[in-house]
Amino acid sequence: MSSLLFIGMLIVLMRLTRRGSGYWESKDGKRCICRMQLMDDEGNWKRVRIVADFGANAVIVTARGRNSTAYLGAWRVIGYAHQTRRADVDDTEKVFALAHSSNEDNLAMLRLPTGSKCAAVLADRITR
């Protein structure tokens, strides 16, 4: 009985740790871990790491896991995502629209908390 109780508590603790938003940012706001979604991939937000690269005027994205190659590379911040594209996002998050630097037709969205330093850094980098 105690073994089952112990395993049950472990499962509850694992679920509690995975429920978080998965967001982290550096003190200067130039690096963060957040969620990104390709425009043609509805409802599938992937956890990515971004670095605001001021020299290249781009946001460098790295991701791990399956199907992460579409997210990799340099992306330009082109504005905010339209309200119809962000139905599953509430008002506590800003959603930026990105275009891949090598293929302008490849578009994505990036979710950040409204009050984060990284959101302010990305808002300053909007190119269109």
Side-chain angles (χ1 to χ4, degrees), residues 83-116:
Q83 188 69 25
T84 58
R85 293 302 233 157
R86 42 187 229 123
D88 59 341
V89 179
D90 57 7
D91 291 338
T92 62
E93 293 180 316
K94 285 189 178 181
V95 181
F96 292 93
L98 305 173
H100 201 278
S101 61
S102 65
N103 182 5
E104 292 290 321
D105 294 333
N106 193 4
L107 300 174
M109 295 183 293
L110 192 70
R111 287 168 75 164
L112 295 169
T114 303
S116 71

PDB file of all heavy atoms in Angstrom, residues 83-116:
ATOM      1  N   GLN A  83      -5.250  38.837 -34.307  1.00  0.00           N
ATOM      2  CA  GLN A  83      -6.099  38.263 -33.255  1.00  0.00           C
ATOM      3  C   GLN A  83      -6.723  36.933 -33.683  1.00  0.00           C
ATOM      4  O   GLN A  83      -6.896  36.041 -32.864  1.00  0.00           O
ATOM      5  CB  GLN A  83      -7.202  39.269 -32.900  1.00  0.00           C
ATOM      6  CG  GLN A  83      -8.018  38.879 -31.696  1.00  0.00           C
ATOM      7  CD  GLN A  83      -7.212  38.950 -30.411  1.00  0.00           C
ATOM      8  OE1 GLN A  83      -6.249  39.684 -30.307  1.00  0.00           O
ATOM      9  NE2 GLN A  83      -7.624  38.184 -29.428  1.00  0.00           N
ATOM     10  N   THR A  84      -7.033  36.751 -34.954  1.00  0.00           N
ATOM     11  CA  THR A  84      -7.649  35.504 -35.411  1.00  0.00           C
ATOM     12  C   THR A  84      -6.672  34.341 -35.369  1.00  0.00           C
ATOM     13  O   THR A  84      -7.088  33.190 -35.312  1.00  0.00           O
ATOM     14  CB  THR A  84      -8.182  35.649 -36.839  1.00  0.00           C
ATOM     15  OG1 THR A  84      -7.091  36.017 -37.707  1.00  0.00           O
ATOM     16  CG2 THR A  84      -9.266  36.698 -36.904  1.00  0.00           C
ATOM     17  N   ARG A  85      -5.373  34.604 -35.394  1.00  0.00           N
ATOM     18  CA  ARG A  85      -4.359  33.554 -35.370  1.00  0.00           C
ATOM     19  C   ARG A  85      -4.009  33.116 -33.960  1.00  0.00           C
ATOM     20  O   ARG A  85      -3.321  32.131 -33.784  1.00  0.00           O
ATOM     21  CB  ARG A  85      -3.077  34.041 -36.054  1.00  0.00           C
ATOM     22  CG  ARG A  85      -3.216  34.272 -37.502  1.00  0.00           C
ATOM     23  CD  ARG A  85      -3.662  33.031 -38.168  1.00  0.00           C
ATOM     24  NE  ARG A  85      -2.769  32.711 -39.249  1.00  0.00           N
ATOM     25  CZ  ARG A  85      -2.629  31.515 -39.729  1.00  0.00           C
ATOM     26  NH1 ARG A  85      -3.289  30.532 -39.224  1.00  0.00           N
ATOM     27  NH2 ARG A  85      -1.842  31.289 -40.726  1.00  0.00           N
ATOM     28  N   ARG A  86      -4.449  33.844 -32.961  1.00  0.00           N
ATOM     29  CA  ARG A  86      -4.047  33.542 -31.587  1.00  0.00           C
ATOM     30  C   ARG A  86      -5.247  33.292 -30.693  1.00  0.00           C
ATOM     31  O   ARG A  86      -5.387  33.861 -29.637  1.00  0.00           O
ATOM     32  CB  ARG A  86      -3.164  34.640 -31.026  1.00  0.00           C
ATOM     33  CG  ARG A  86      -3.615  36.013 -31.347  1.00  0.00           C
ATOM     34  CD  ARG A  86      -2.645  37.071 -30.928  1.00  0.00           C
ATOM     35  NE  ARG A  86      -3.366  38.095 -30.188  1.00  0.00           N
ATOM     36  CZ  ARG A  86      -3.085  38.466 -28.974  1.00  0.00           C
ATOM     37  NH1 ARG A  86      -2.099  37.929 -28.335  1.00  0.00           N
ATOM     38  NH2 ARG A  86      -3.770  39.384 -28.372  1.00  0.00           N
ATOM     39  N   ALA A  87      -6.108  32.414 -31.132  1.00  0.00           N
ATOM     40  CA  ALA A  87      -7.337  32.128 -30.403  1.00  0.00           C
ATOM     41  C   ALA A  87      -7.059  31.449 -29.059  1.00  0.00           C
ATOM     42  O   ALA A  87      -7.805  31.628 -28.106  1.00  0.00           O
ATOM     43  CB  ALA A  87      -8.253  31.263 -31.243  1.00  0.00           C
ATOM     44  N   ASP A  88      -5.993  30.679 -28.963  1.00  0.00           N
ATOM     45  CA  ASP A  88      -5.701  29.943 -27.732  1.00  0.00           C
ATOM     46  C   ASP A  88      -4.780  30.703 -26.786  1.00  0.00           C
ATOM     47  O   ASP A  88      -4.296  30.140 -25.816  1.00  0.00           O
ATOM     48  CB  ASP A  88      -5.093  28.583 -28.063  1.00  0.00           C
ATOM     49  CG  ASP A  88      -3.819  28.698 -28.865  1.00  0.00           C
ATOM     50  OD1 ASP A  88      -3.583  29.760 -29.460  1.00  0.00           O
ATOM     51  OD2 ASP A  88      -3.050  27.724 -28.894  1.00  0.00           O
ATOM     52  N   VAL A  89      -4.558  31.985 -27.023  1.00  0.00           N
ATOM     53  CA  VAL A  89      -3.665  32.806 -26.191  1.00  0.00           C
ATOM     54  C   VAL A  89      -4.495  33.863 -25.482  1.00  0.00           C
ATOM     55  O   VAL A  89      -5.331  34.522 -26.089  1.00  0.00           O
ATOM     56  CB  VAL A  89      -2.577  33.477 -27.064  1.00  0.00           C
ATOM     57  CG1 VAL A  89      -1.683  34.341 -26.234  1.00  0.00           C
ATOM     58  CG2 VAL A  89      -1.784  32.429 -27.809  1.00  0.00           C
ATOM     59  N   ASP A  90      -4.243  34.053 -24.190  1.00  0.00           N
ATOM     60  CA  ASP A  90      -4.993  35.062 -23.444  1.00  0.00           C
ATOM     61  C   ASP A  90      -4.273  36.412 -23.458  1.00  0.00           C
ATOM     62  O   ASP A  90      -3.250  36.580 -24.103  1.00  0.00           O
ATOM     63  CB  ASP A  90      -5.264  34.592 -22.015  1.00  0.00           C
ATOM     64  CG  ASP A  90      -3.989  34.250 -21.261  1.00  0.00           C
ATOM     65  OD1 ASP A  90      -2.901  34.495 -21.791  1.00  0.00           O
ATOM     66  OD2 ASP A  90      -4.099  33.739 -20.134  1.00  0.00           O
ATOM     67  N   ASP A  91      -4.820  37.380 -22.730  1.00  0.00           N
ATOM     68  CA  ASP A  91      -4.283  38.747 -22.748  1.00  0.00           C
ATOM     69  C   ASP A  91      -2.997  38.905 -21.949  1.00  0.00           C
ATOM     70  O   ASP A  91      -2.392  39.963 -21.967  1.00  0.00           O
ATOM     71  CB  ASP A  91      -5.327  39.723 -22.215  1.00  0.00           C
ATOM     72  CG  ASP A  91      -6.507  39.862 -23.157  1.00  0.00           C
ATOM     73  OD1 ASP A  91      -6.325  39.561 -24.356  1.00  0.00           O
ATOM     74  OD2 ASP A  91      -7.593  40.264 -22.704  1.00  0.00           O
ATOM     75  N   THR A  92      -2.568  37.888 -21.222  1.00  0.00           N
ATOM     76  CA  THR A  92      -1.341  37.992 -20.439  1.00  0.00           C
ATOM     77  C   THR A  92      -0.109  37.693 -21.273  1.00  0.00           C
ATOM     78  O   THR A  92       0.998  37.732 -20.751  1.00  0.00           O
ATOM     79  CB  THR A  92      -1.378  37.035 -19.242  1.00  0.00           C
ATOM     80  OG1 THR A  92      -1.457  35.694 -19.716  1.00  0.00           O
ATOM     81  CG2 THR A  92      -2.560  37.342 -18.333  1.00  0.00           C
ATOM     82  N   GLU A  93      -0.289  37.404 -22.556  1.00  0.00           N
ATOM     83  CA  GLU A  93       0.842  37.076 -23.427  1.00  0.00           C
ATOM     84  C   GLU A  93       0.814  37.922 -24.693  1.00  0.00           C
ATOM     85  O   GLU A  93      -0.259  38.243 -25.210  1.00  0.00           O
ATOM     86  CB  GLU A  93       0.804  35.596 -23.818  1.00  0.00           C
ATOM     87  CG  GLU A  93       1.034  34.675 -22.653  1.00  0.00           C
ATOM     88  CD  GLU A  93       0.988  33.224 -23.075  1.00  0.00           C
ATOM     89  OE1 GLU A  93       0.100  32.847 -23.835  1.00  0.00           O
ATOM     90  OE2 GLU A  93       1.871  32.473 -22.619  1.00  0.00           O
ATOM     91  N   LYS A  94       2.003  38.276 -25.168  1.00  0.00           N
ATOM     92  CA  LYS A  94       2.148  38.937 -26.460  1.00  0.00           C
ATOM     93  C   LYS A  94       2.567  37.881 -27.466  1.00  0.00           C
ATOM     94  O   LYS A  94       3.370  37.006 -27.164  1.00  0.00           O
ATOM     95  CB  LYS A  94       3.212  40.030 -26.402  1.00  0.00           C
ATOM     96  CG  LYS A  94       2.775  41.270 -25.696  1.00  0.00           C
ATOM     97  CD  LYS A  94       3.793  42.354 -25.880  1.00  0.00           C
ATOM     98  CE  LYS A  94       3.305  43.612 -25.189  1.00  0.00           C
ATOM     99  NZ  LYS A  94       4.224  44.723 -25.339  1.00  0.00           N
ATOM    100  N   VAL A  95       2.027  37.985 -28.666  1.00  0.00           N
ATOM    101  CA  VAL A  95       2.351  37.029 -29.717  1.00  0.00           C
ATOM    102  C   VAL A  95       2.945  37.806 -30.886  1.00  0.00           C
ATOM    103  O   VAL A  95       2.286  38.661 -31.479  1.00  0.00           O
ATOM    104  CB  VAL A  95       1.099  36.235 -30.164  1.00  0.00           C
ATOM    105  CG1 VAL A  95       1.476  35.242 -31.236  1.00  0.00           C
ATOM    106  CG2 VAL A  95       0.473  35.527 -28.985  1.00  0.00           C
ATOM    107  N   PHE A  96       4.205  37.516 -31.184  1.00  0.00           N
ATOM    108  CA  PHE A  96       4.920  38.183 -32.258  1.00  0.00           C
ATOM    109  C   PHE A  96       4.871  37.338 -33.524  1.00  0.00           C
ATOM    110  O   PHE A  96       4.911  36.106 -33.459  1.00  0.00           O
ATOM    111  CB  PHE A  96       6.383  38.409 -31.867  1.00  0.00           C
ATOM    112  CG  PHE A  96       6.551  39.395 -30.754  1.00  0.00           C
ATOM    113  CD1 PHE A  96       6.618  38.983 -29.443  1.00  0.00           C
ATOM    114  CD2 PHE A  96       6.629  40.744 -31.025  1.00  0.00           C
ATOM    115  CE1 PHE A  96       6.768  39.878 -28.411  1.00  0.00           C
ATOM    116  CE2 PHE A  96       6.782  41.662 -30.007  1.00  0.00           C
ATOM    117  CZ  PHE A  96       6.851  41.233 -28.689  1.00  0.00           C
ATOM    118  N   ALA A  97       4.806  38.002 -34.672  1.00  0.00           N
ATOM    119  CA  ALA A  97       4.873  37.322 -35.963  1.00  0.00           C
ATOM    120  C   ALA A  97       6.318  37.367 -36.442  1.00  0.00           C
ATOM    121  O   ALA A  97       6.980  38.403 -36.370  1.00  0.00           O
ATOM    122  CB  ALA A  97       3.960  38.007 -36.974  1.00  0.00           C
ATOM    123  N   LEU A  98       6.814  36.232 -36.921  1.00  0.00           N
ATOM    124  CA  LEU A  98       8.197  36.105 -37.385  1.00  0.00           C
ATOM    125  C   LEU A  98       8.227  35.597 -38.814  1.00  0.00           C
ATOM    126  O   LEU A  98       7.355  34.831 -39.228  1.00  0.00           O
ATOM    127  CB  LEU A  98       8.964  35.120 -36.493  1.00  0.00           C
ATOM    128  CG  LEU A  98       8.983  35.365 -34.995  1.00  0.00           C
ATOM    129  CD1 LEU A  98       9.649  34.194 -34.289  1.00  0.00           C
ATOM    130  CD2 LEU A  98       9.705  36.634 -34.677  1.00  0.00           C
ATOM    131  N   ALA A  99       9.243  36.002 -39.557  1.00  0.00           N
ATOM    132  CA  ALA A  99       9.491  35.491 -40.903  1.00  0.00           C
ATOM    133  C   ALA A  99      10.914  34.955 -40.943  1.00  0.00           C
ATOM    134  O   ALA A  99      11.841  35.596 -40.447  1.00  0.00           O
ATOM    135  CB  ALA A  99       9.320  36.588 -41.949  1.00  0.00           C
ATOM    136  N   HIS A 100      11.078  33.776 -41.525  1.00  0.00           N
ATOM    137  CA  HIS A 100      12.415  33.173 -41.597  1.00  0.00           C
ATOM    138  C   HIS A 100      13.284  34.011 -42.530  1.00  0.00           C
ATOM    139  O   HIS A 100      12.831  34.464 -43.581  1.00  0.00           O
ATOM    140  CB  HIS A 100      12.326  31.733 -42.093  1.00  0.00           C
ATOM    141  CG  HIS A 100      13.512  30.918 -41.727  1.00  0.00           C
ATOM    142  ND1 HIS A 100      14.669  30.948 -42.449  1.00  0.00           N
ATOM    143  CD2 HIS A 100      13.723  30.076 -40.690  1.00  0.00           C
ATOM    144  CE1 HIS A 100      15.554  30.143 -41.896  1.00  0.00           C
ATOM    145  NE2 HIS A 100      15.002  29.601 -40.819  1.00  0.00           N
ATOM    146  N   SER A 101      14.518  34.238 -42.147  1.00  0.00           N
ATOM    147  CA  SER A 101      15.380  35.133 -42.927  1.00  0.00           C
ATOM    148  C   SER A 101      15.753  34.561 -44.285  1.00  0.00           C
ATOM    149  O   SER A 101      15.990  35.314 -45.226  1.00  0.00           O
ATOM    150  CB  SER A 101      16.641  35.467 -42.130  1.00  0.00           C
ATOM    151  OG  SER A 101      17.357  34.287 -41.862  1.00  0.00           O
ATOM    152  N   SER A 102      15.791  33.249 -44.440  1.00  0.00           N
ATOM    153  CA  SER A 102      16.154  32.671 -45.730  1.00  0.00           C
ATOM    154  C   SER A 102      14.945  32.417 -46.628  1.00  0.00           C
ATOM    155  O   SER A 102      15.082  32.296 -47.834  1.00  0.00           O
ATOM    156  CB  SER A 102      16.915  31.356 -45.534  1.00  0.00           C
ATOM    157  OG  SER A 102      16.070  30.400 -44.933  1.00  0.00           O
ATOM    158  N   ASN A 103      13.740  32.343 -46.049  1.00  0.00           N
ATOM    159  CA  ASN A 103      12.526  32.088 -46.815  1.00  0.00           C
ATOM    160  C   ASN A 103      11.411  32.935 -46.219  1.00  0.00           C
ATOM    161  O   ASN A 103      10.841  32.591 -45.201  1.00  0.00           O
ATOM    162  CB  ASN A 103      12.172  30.596 -46.762  1.00  0.00           C
ATOM    163  CG  ASN A 103      10.949  30.262 -47.571  1.00  0.00           C
ATOM    164  OD1 ASN A 103      10.394  31.105 -48.264  1.00  0.00           O
ATOM    165  ND2 ASN A 103      10.520  29.021 -47.482  1.00  0.00           N
ATOM    166  N   GLU A 104      11.076  34.039 -46.868  1.00  0.00           N
ATOM    167  CA  GLU A 104      10.086  34.981 -46.346  1.00  0.00           C
ATOM    168  C   GLU A 104       8.681  34.382 -46.274  1.00  0.00           C
ATOM    169  O   GLU A 104       7.829  34.887 -45.567  1.00  0.00           O
ATOM    170  CB  GLU A 104      10.058  36.251 -47.207  1.00  0.00           C
ATOM    171  CG  GLU A 104      11.313  37.078 -47.102  1.00  0.00           C
ATOM    172  CD  GLU A 104      11.443  37.742 -45.742  1.00  0.00           C
ATOM    173  OE1 GLU A 104      10.434  38.200 -45.187  1.00  0.00           O
ATOM    174  OE2 GLU A 104      12.567  37.793 -45.229  1.00  0.00           O
ATOM    175  N   ASP A 105       8.418  33.299 -47.007  1.00  0.00           N
ATOM    176  CA  ASP A 105       7.104  32.664 -46.972  1.00  0.00           C
ATOM    177  C   ASP A 105       6.926  31.779 -45.748  1.00  0.00           C
ATOM    178  O   ASP A 105       5.808  31.361 -45.449  1.00  0.00           O
ATOM    179  CB  ASP A 105       6.890  31.827 -48.231  1.00  0.00           C
ATOM    180  CG  ASP A 105       6.822  32.702 -49.472  1.00  0.00           C
ATOM    181  OD1 ASP A 105       6.426  33.877 -49.341  1.00  0.00           O
ATOM    182  OD2 ASP A 105       7.163  32.206 -50.560  1.00  0.00           O
ATOM    183  N   ASN A 106       7.998  31.472 -45.054  1.00  0.00           N
ATOM    184  CA  ASN A 106       7.953  30.644 -43.854  1.00  0.00           C
ATOM    185  C   ASN A 106       7.689  31.556 -42.655  1.00  0.00           C
ATOM    186  O   ASN A 106       8.571  32.266 -42.200  1.00  0.00           O
ATOM    187  CB  ASN A 106       9.275  29.886 -43.696  1.00  0.00           C
ATOM    188  CG  ASN A 106       9.182  28.794 -42.679  1.00  0.00           C
ATOM    189  OD1 ASN A 106       8.121  28.522 -42.130  1.00  0.00           O
ATOM    190  ND2 ASN A 106      10.311  28.161 -42.411  1.00  0.00           N
ATOM    191  N   LEU A 107       6.456  31.524 -42.138  1.00  0.00           N
ATOM    192  CA  LEU A 107       6.041  32.409 -41.053  1.00  0.00           C
ATOM    193  C   LEU A 107       5.783  31.620 -39.781  1.00  0.00           C
ATOM    194  O   LEU A 107       5.411  30.450 -39.825  1.00  0.00           O
ATOM    195  CB  LEU A 107       4.775  33.168 -41.441  1.00  0.00           C
ATOM    196  CG  LEU A 107       4.879  34.052 -42.679  1.00  0.00           C
ATOM    197  CD1 LEU A 107       3.519  34.616 -43.036  1.00  0.00           C
ATOM    198  CD2 LEU A 107       5.876  35.162 -42.457  1.00  0.00           C
ATOM    199  N   ALA A 108       5.957  32.297 -38.638  1.00  0.00           N
ATOM    200  CA  ALA A 108       5.746  31.647 -37.340  1.00  0.00           C
ATOM    201  C   ALA A 108       5.274  32.687 -36.333  1.00  0.00           C
ATOM    202  O   ALA A 108       5.298  33.895 -36.586  1.00  0.00           O
ATOM    203  CB  ALA A 108       7.039  30.992 -36.856  1.00  0.00           C
ATOM    204  N   MET A 109       4.824  32.185 -35.172  1.00  0.00           N
ATOM    205  CA  MET A 109       4.404  33.038 -34.067  1.00  0.00           C
ATOM    206  C   MET A 109       5.207  32.667 -32.828  1.00  0.00           C
ATOM    207  O   MET A 109       5.572  31.507 -32.644  1.00  0.00           O
ATOM    208  CB  MET A 109       2.916  32.848 -33.770  1.00  0.00           C
ATOM    209  CG  MET A 109       2.016  33.295 -34.882  1.00  0.00           C
ATOM    210  SD  MET A 109       0.262  33.130 -34.470  1.00  0.00           S
ATOM    211  CE  MET A 109       0.068  31.369 -34.385  1.00  0.00           C
ATOM    212  N   LEU A 110       5.474  33.650 -31.988  1.00  0.00           N
ATOM    213  CA  LEU A 110       6.262  33.467 -30.773  1.00  0.00           C
ATOM    214  C   LEU A 110       5.469  34.035 -29.600  1.00  0.00           C
ATOM    215  O   LEU A 110       5.026  35.181 -29.651  1.00  0.00           O
ATOM    216  CB  LEU A 110       7.589  34.195 -30.926  1.00  0.00           C
ATOM    217  CG  LEU A 110       8.677  33.943 -29.926  1.00  0.00           C
ATOM    218  CD1 LEU A 110       9.217  32.527 -30.109  1.00  0.00           C
ATOM    219  CD2 LEU A 110       9.793  34.939 -30.116  1.00  0.00           C
ATOM    220  N   ARG A 111       5.270  33.228 -28.533  1.00  0.00           N
ATOM    221  CA  ARG A 111       4.512  33.647 -27.352  1.00  0.00           C
ATOM    222  C   ARG A 111       5.446  34.070 -26.232  1.00  0.00           C
ATOM    223  O   ARG A 111       6.343  33.325 -25.866  1.00  0.00           O
ATOM    224  CB  ARG A 111       3.693  32.486 -26.812  1.00  0.00           C
ATOM    225  CG  ARG A 111       2.527  32.120 -27.604  1.00  0.00           C
ATOM    226  CD  ARG A 111       1.973  30.797 -27.154  1.00  0.00           C
ATOM    227  NE  ARG A 111       1.242  30.873 -25.904  1.00  0.00           N
ATOM    228  CZ  ARG A 111       0.419  29.914 -25.502  1.00  0.00           C
ATOM    229  NH1 ARG A 111       0.223  28.859 -26.223  1.00  0.00           N
ATOM    230  NH2 ARG A 111      -0.193  30.032 -24.360  1.00  0.00           N
ATOM    231  N   LEU A 112       5.199  35.256 -25.676  1.00  0.00           N
ATOM    232  CA  LEU A 112       5.961  35.766 -24.538  1.00  0.00           C
ATOM    233  C   LEU A 112       5.013  36.422 -23.551  1.00  0.00           C
ATOM    234  O   LEU A 112       4.027  37.033 -23.958  1.00  0.00           O
ATOM    235  CB  LEU A 112       6.991  36.796 -24.995  1.00  0.00           C
ATOM    236  CG  LEU A 112       8.108  36.305 -25.894  1.00  0.00           C
ATOM    237  CD1 LEU A 112       8.875  37.475 -26.454  1.00  0.00           C
ATOM    238  CD2 LEU A 112       9.030  35.404 -25.129  1.00  0.00           C
ATOM    239  N   PRO A 113       5.298  36.337 -22.253  1.00  0.00           N
ATOM    240  CA  PRO A 113       4.471  37.065 -21.280  1.00  0.00           C
ATOM    241  C   PRO A 113       4.540  38.568 -21.536  1.00  0.00           C
ATOM    242  O   PRO A 113       5.573  39.100 -21.948  1.00  0.00           O
ATOM    243  CB  PRO A 113       5.114  36.713 -19.940  1.00  0.00           C
ATOM    244  CG  PRO A 113       5.827  35.430 -20.174  1.00  0.00           C
ATOM    245  CD  PRO A 113       6.285  35.478 -21.598  1.00  0.00           C
ATOM    246  N   THR A 114       3.444  39.255 -21.293  1.00  0.00           N
ATOM    247  CA  THR A 114       3.341  40.680 -21.611  1.00  0.00           C
ATOM    248  C   THR A 114       4.385  41.519 -20.891  1.00  0.00           C
ATOM    249  O   THR A 114       4.990  42.402 -21.478  1.00  0.00           O
ATOM    250  CB  THR A 114       1.935  41.195 -21.264  1.00  0.00           C
ATOM    251  OG1 THR A 114       0.985  40.405 -21.984  1.00  0.00           O
ATOM    252  CG2 THR A 114       1.767  42.640 -21.640  1.00  0.00           C
ATOM    253  N   GLY A 115       4.633  41.247 -19.634  1.00  0.00           N
ATOM    254  CA  GLY A 115       5.557  42.071 -18.856  1.00  0.00           C
ATOM    255  C   GLY A 115       7.009  41.644 -18.918  1.00  0.00           C
ATOM    256  O   GLY A 115       7.825  42.139 -18.155  1.00  0.00           O
ATOM    257  N   SER A 116       7.381  40.750 -19.819  1.00  0.00           N
ATOM    258  CA  SER A 116       8.753  40.246 -19.838  1.00  0.00           C
ATOM    259  C   SER A 116       9.701  41.236 -20.511  1.00  0.00           C
ATOM    260  O   SER A 116       9.307  42.043 -21.359  1.00  0.00           O
ATOM    261  CB  SER A 116       8.815  38.902 -20.565  1.00  0.00           C
ATOM    262  OG  SER A 116       8.617  39.087 -21.945  1.00  0.00           O
TER     263      SER A 116
END
